[in-house]
């Protein structure tokens, strides 16, 4: 039993009944609220669940926040870390709904009738509109993120199960109280069926749980190697020499880049079609802001600054972690050529390189010889060994293999027979294609697997448990610090964990109902 003053305080916050509160408890046969308040509580419960789902969904999407922010930048034309803004708003709405739910449960546990203030009812409506709208918009624009959500359960499900069972057990107190206050047998049966049905579903949910990180001791393979995605874009401007040097310093197995060919035939590194996002093109060539990067000469590209944007936009929120000298160096980075990139890897004879190669637009002098020009740089203008190059471009693969059979042929997801026919030695898959079965099939055919782009430690842990050979990452300096997966448990340990949780909860629920009876 709570002190009367505390109950008065809870009722005051929930319904602003500071003066009207009388401290009366429900009597036998009373209902917890009238129809209007019952509907308000149902909406509160719905809003709580929706804000919880959206908050969990968006928090697990952190791996792709950078893509989301740049998508908005390219469409809106100005930089705001919308992903973080959305996370803060989602957390605020969830906290608000959670506080109201906690107040309602506490009042119900004390046998108090519910009277929700009209201002809270408006807040619930706003929360509902936000959650439904955000889920609908993100599903339309970014529906693949739901696959990331499903993957996250392979790490979080055991802990979500324990938390859900504890919450359901705690709800047994108000449920039992109101169950024995009801005179209607139909209502009693309905309440009991709903509560016990949900409880049993929670109890049995681990039977459908799968995670590659639930394995026998001694079966965990080596940690996946790290390939710096455009270098280390969290610590330096992407696709610049500084970014790749940071990746090498972090112990990366390889380096990943995006290659475009200038109008005069110099392959250089640039991810986007235009130079707008990662250079000062608006200042140097204001009338060519939206022109394709491939239509600039190498001399024009060299005149651009490719680092100042990193300091002004701070895309990963990490600029403050850099020292003054590093910030100055980052701000003075220039567009990096393929030759410079390859030489940096060649200096470390075991460092691999992998790159996307973009075909120049129509009318470009190297439109039909972009493959040959790139191979010329690899063979004649750099000292890198062919064995260090993971050749990813699918165009003219047979010709490339004939010219240089020592290049490590790499491909996106294809049927196993096609990979064998093309003599592929590494499969480059999106992390959402992560599958222990698929990775095992590739391994049996002597094809290693690389997943892209993994930044969050929990995703890296899953890849580790699944037997992935390497991952492309924005954060090699973070992932290298992981010495074991975040979640790792033997089947026996997991079974003991969820069975003990269920048994303890079941005993407590019986005791709660017995007490109120």
């Amino acid at each position: 039993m709570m002190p009367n003053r505390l109950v008065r305080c809870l009722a005051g916050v929930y319904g602003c009944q500071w003066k009207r509160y009388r401290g009366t408890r429900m009597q036998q046969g009373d209902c917890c609220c009238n129809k209007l308040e019952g509907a308000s509580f149902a909406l509160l419960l719905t809003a709580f669940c929706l804000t919880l789902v959206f908050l969990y969904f968006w928090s697990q999407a952190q791996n792709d926040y950078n893509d989301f922010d740049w998508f908005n930048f390219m469409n809106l034309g100005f930089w705001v870390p919308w992903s973080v803004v959305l996370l803060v708003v989602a957390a605020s709405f969830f906290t608000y709904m959670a506080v109201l739910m906690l107040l309602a449960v506490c009042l119900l546990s004390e046998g108090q009738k519910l009277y929700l203030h009209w201002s809270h009812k408006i807040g619930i409506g706003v929360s509902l509109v936000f959650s439904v709208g955000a889920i609908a918009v993100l599903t339309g624009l970014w529906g693949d993120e739901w696959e990331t959500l499903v993957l996250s359960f392979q790490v979080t499900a055991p802990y979500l199960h324990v938390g859900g069972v504890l919450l359901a057990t705690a709800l047994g107190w108000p449920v039992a109280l109101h169950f024995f206050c009801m005179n209607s047998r139909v209502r009693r049966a309905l309440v009991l069926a709903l509560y016990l049905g949900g409880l049993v579903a929670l109890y049995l949910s681990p039977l459908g749980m799968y995670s590659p990180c639930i394995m026998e001791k001694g079966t965990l393979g080596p940690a996946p190697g790290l390939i710096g995605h455009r270098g280390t874009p969290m610590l330096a401007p992407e696709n610049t020499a500084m970014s790749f040097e940071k990746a090498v310093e972090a112990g990366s197995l390889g380096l990943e880049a995006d290659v475009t060919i200038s109008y005069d035939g110099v392959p250089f590194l640039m991810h986007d079609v235009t130079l707008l996002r990662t250079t000062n093109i608006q200042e140097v060539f204001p009338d060519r802001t939206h022109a394709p990067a491939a239509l600039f000469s190498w001399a024009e590209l060299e005149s651009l600054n490719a680092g100042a944007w990193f300091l002004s936009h701070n895309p990963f929120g990490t600029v403050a972690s850099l020292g003054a000298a590093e910030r100055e160096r980052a701000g003075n980075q220039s567009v990096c050529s393929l030759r410079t990139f390859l030489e940096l890897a060649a200096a470390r004879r075991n460092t691999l390189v992998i790159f996307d190669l973009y075909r120049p637009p129509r009318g470009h002098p190297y439109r039909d010889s972009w493959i040959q020009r790139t191979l010329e740089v690899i063979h004649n203008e750099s000292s890198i060994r062919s064995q260090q190059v993971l050749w990813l471009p699918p165009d003219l693969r047979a010709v490339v293999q004939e010219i240089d059979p020592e290049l490590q042929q790499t491909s996106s997801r294809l049927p196993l027979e096609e990979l064998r026919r093309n003599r592929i030695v590494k499969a480059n898959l999106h992390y959402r294609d992560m599958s222990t079965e698929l990775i095992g099939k590739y391994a049996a055919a002597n094809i290693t697997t690389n997943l892209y782009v993994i930044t969050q430690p929990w995703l890296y842990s899953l890849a580790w448990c699944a037997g992935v050979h390497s991952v492309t990452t924005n954060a090699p300096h973070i992932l290298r610090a992981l010495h074991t997966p975040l979640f790792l448990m033997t089947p026996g340990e997991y079974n003991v964990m969820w069975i003990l949780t269920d048994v303890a909860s079941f005993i407590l629920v019986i005791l709660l109902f017995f007490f109120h009876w």
Side-chain angles (χ1 to χ4, degrees):
M1 295 287 292
M2 295 182 184
N4 192 53
R5 290 183 180 179
L6 179 56
V7 176
R8 181 189 296 273
C9 180
L10 296 177
V13 175
Y14 186 81
C16 294
Q17 301 178 70
W18 303 102
K19 294 182 179 179
R20 293 181 296 157
Y21 176 72
R22 295 290 183 270
T24 55
R25 292 173 59 84
M26 287 186 301
Q27 304 300 318
Q28 184 70 27
D30 284 351
C31 185
C32 65
C33 52
N34 57 39
K35 291 182 179 180
L36 176 61
E37 295 303 323
S40 298
F41 181 75
L43 287 176
L44 171 59
L45 180 60
T46 303
F48 171 77
C49 293
L50 284 176
T51 54
L52 174 61
V53 168
F54 180 74
L55 178 61
Y56 180 80
F57 164 76
W58 195 240
S59 64
Q60 296 306 310
Q62 286 186 44
N63 191 78
D64 302 316
Y65 276 6
N66 190 244
D67 295 338
F68 179 79
D69 289 337
W70 284 121
F71 171 82
N72 286 301
F73 171 79
M74 299 304 292
N75 284 278
L76 300 176
F78 59 91
W79 173 263
V80 173
W82 292 110
S83 56
V84 177
V85 172
L86 191 56
L87 181 64
V88 171
V89 173
S92 300
F93 275 118
F94 170 72
T95 302
Y96 180 33
M97 294 299 101
V99 169
L100 289 182
M101 275 297 298
L102 182 61
L103 291 172
V105 170
C106 289
L107 290 171
L108 289 174
S109 299
E110 285 297 301
Q112 303 296 314
K113 291 192 174 184
L114 298 180
Y115 296 99
L116 185 64
H117 193 258
W118 62 267
S119 61
H120 290 319
K121 293 174 182 175
I122 293 176
I124 291 171
V126 173
S127 298
L128 280 171
V129 170
F130 166 78
S131 301
V132 173
I135 290 173
V137 170
L138 287 175
T139 299
L141 295 176
W142 235 21
D144 290 344
E145 284 301 315
W146 290 106
E147 296 178 31
T148 305
L149 180 76
V150 173
L151 274 178
S152 73
F153 288 139
Q154 296 183 18
V155 172
T156 62
Y159 308 107
L160 292 176
H161 168 256
V162 173
V165 169
L166 290 176
L167 180 61
T169 304
L171 288 176
W173 179 276
V175 169
L177 171 65
H178 289 273
F179 175 81
F180 288 108
C181 282
M182 294 176 180
N183 288 328
S184 170
R185 292 184 176 179
V186 175
R187 286 186 178 180
R188 280 190 172 191
L190 181 61
V191 168
L192 192 62
L194 287 175
Y195 179 69
L196 292 182
L199 202 59
V200 170
L202 272 174
Y203 286 165
L204 299 180
S205 61
L207 295 177
M209 160 71 179
Y210 164 76
S211 172
C213 292
I214 297 178
M215 59 173 61
E216 297 293 346
K217 287 185 178 180
T219 58
L220 179 67
L226 302 175
I227 296 177
H229 181 236
R230 306 175 203 166
T232 311
M234 295 180 75
L235 300 179
E238 66 178 57
N239 277 329
T240 62
M242 179 181 178
S243 186
F244 294 116
E245 288 170 8
K246 289 279 188 183
V248 171
E249 291 170 8
S252 296
L253 167 73
L255 305 172
E256 186 273 349
D258 309 277
V259 178
T260 302
I261 298 181
S262 69
Y263 198 76
D264 51 353
V266 178
F268 66 98
L269 309 187
M270 186 61 56
H271 174 267
D272 298 357
V273 174
T274 71
L275 300 164
L276 177 63
R277 181 173 66 88
T278 58
T279 72
N280 61 340
I281 183 72
Q282 289 178 306
E283 300 173 10
V284 182
F285 302 106
D287 56 335
R288 301 171 67 187
T289 299
H290 297 285
L295 297 184
F296 288 77
S297 69
W298 177 240
E300 291 172 328
L301 293 167
E302 282 189 301
S303 70
L304 298 174
N305 180 295
W309 69 272
F310 176 77
L311 301 179
S312 60
H313 293 340
N314 194 11
F316 292 93
T318 53
V319 169
S321 67
L322 303 178
E326 287 183 311
R327 286 199 293 272
E328 182 179 359
R329 185 185 174 205
N332 291 320
Q333 290 297 296
S334 58
V335 176
C336 184
S337 68
L338 175 62
R339 179 180 178 278
T340 300
F341 169 68
L342 295 177
E343 284 301 298
L344 195 152
R348 287 87 173 169
R349 295 184 62 82
N350 293 323
T351 300
L352 303 174
V353 297
I354 181 172
F355 50 83
D356 289 306
L357 179 59
Y358 302 139
R359 187 178 186 182
R362 295 184 184 279
H364 192 284
Y366 291 87
R367 164 76 176 177
D368 297 321
S369 58
W370 85 111
I371 295 286
Q372 290 82 351
R373 178 67 189 114
T374 304
L375 289 174
E376 284 177 10
V377 174
I378 294 174
H379 295 146
N380 304 325
E381 299 177 26
S382 73
S383 57
I384 195 167
R385 296 178 296 118
S386 296
Q387 296 92 331
Q388 290 178 256
V389 180
L390 301 174
W391 185 264
L392 182 60
D395 306 277
L396 304 176
R397 190 180 292 278
V399 175
V400 172
Q401 287 178 323
E402 185 175 345
I403 294 174
D404 189 346
E406 293 187 352
L407 293 172
Q408 295 195 52
Q409 295 297 323
T410 305
S411 173
S412 56
R413 182 172 182 175
L414 292 172
L416 186 57
E417 288 304 317
E418 189 170 347
L419 294 177
R420 283 173 171 165
R421 186 167 58 251
N422 291 329
R423 290 175 284 174
I424 302 299
V425 298
K426 183 178 285 290
N428 190 48
L429 311 178
H430 194 278
Y431 73 82
R432 296 192 193 102
D433 292 328
M434 190 188 313
S435 163
T436 304
E437 181 182 0
L438 180 64
I439 293 168
K441 285 183 179 179
Y442 285 164
N446 293 320
I447 299 173
T448 59
T449 306
N450 179 71
L451 298 183
Y452 66 93
V453 172
I454 289 179
T455 300
Q456 293 298 304
W458 70 265
L459 266 174
Y460 182 69
S461 298
L462 271 186
W464 188 345
C465 295
V468 170
H469 179 260
S470 61
V471 301
T472 303
T473 177
N474 292 325
H477 60 296
I478 294 175
L479 299 186
R480 72 168 182 175
L482 285 181
H483 302 297
T484 186
L486 293 181
F487 170 63
L488 187 62
M489 195 176 289
T490 66
E493 291 170 342
Y494 179 57
N495 289 334
V496 169
M497 174 182 168
W498 73 266
I499 291 173
L500 285 180
T501 300
D502 288 359
V503 170
S505 168
F506 181 70
I507 293 173
L508 284 174
V509 169
I510 291 177
L511 291 176
L512 287 174
F513 272 80
F514 180 76
F515 174 81
H516 284 288
W517 173 76

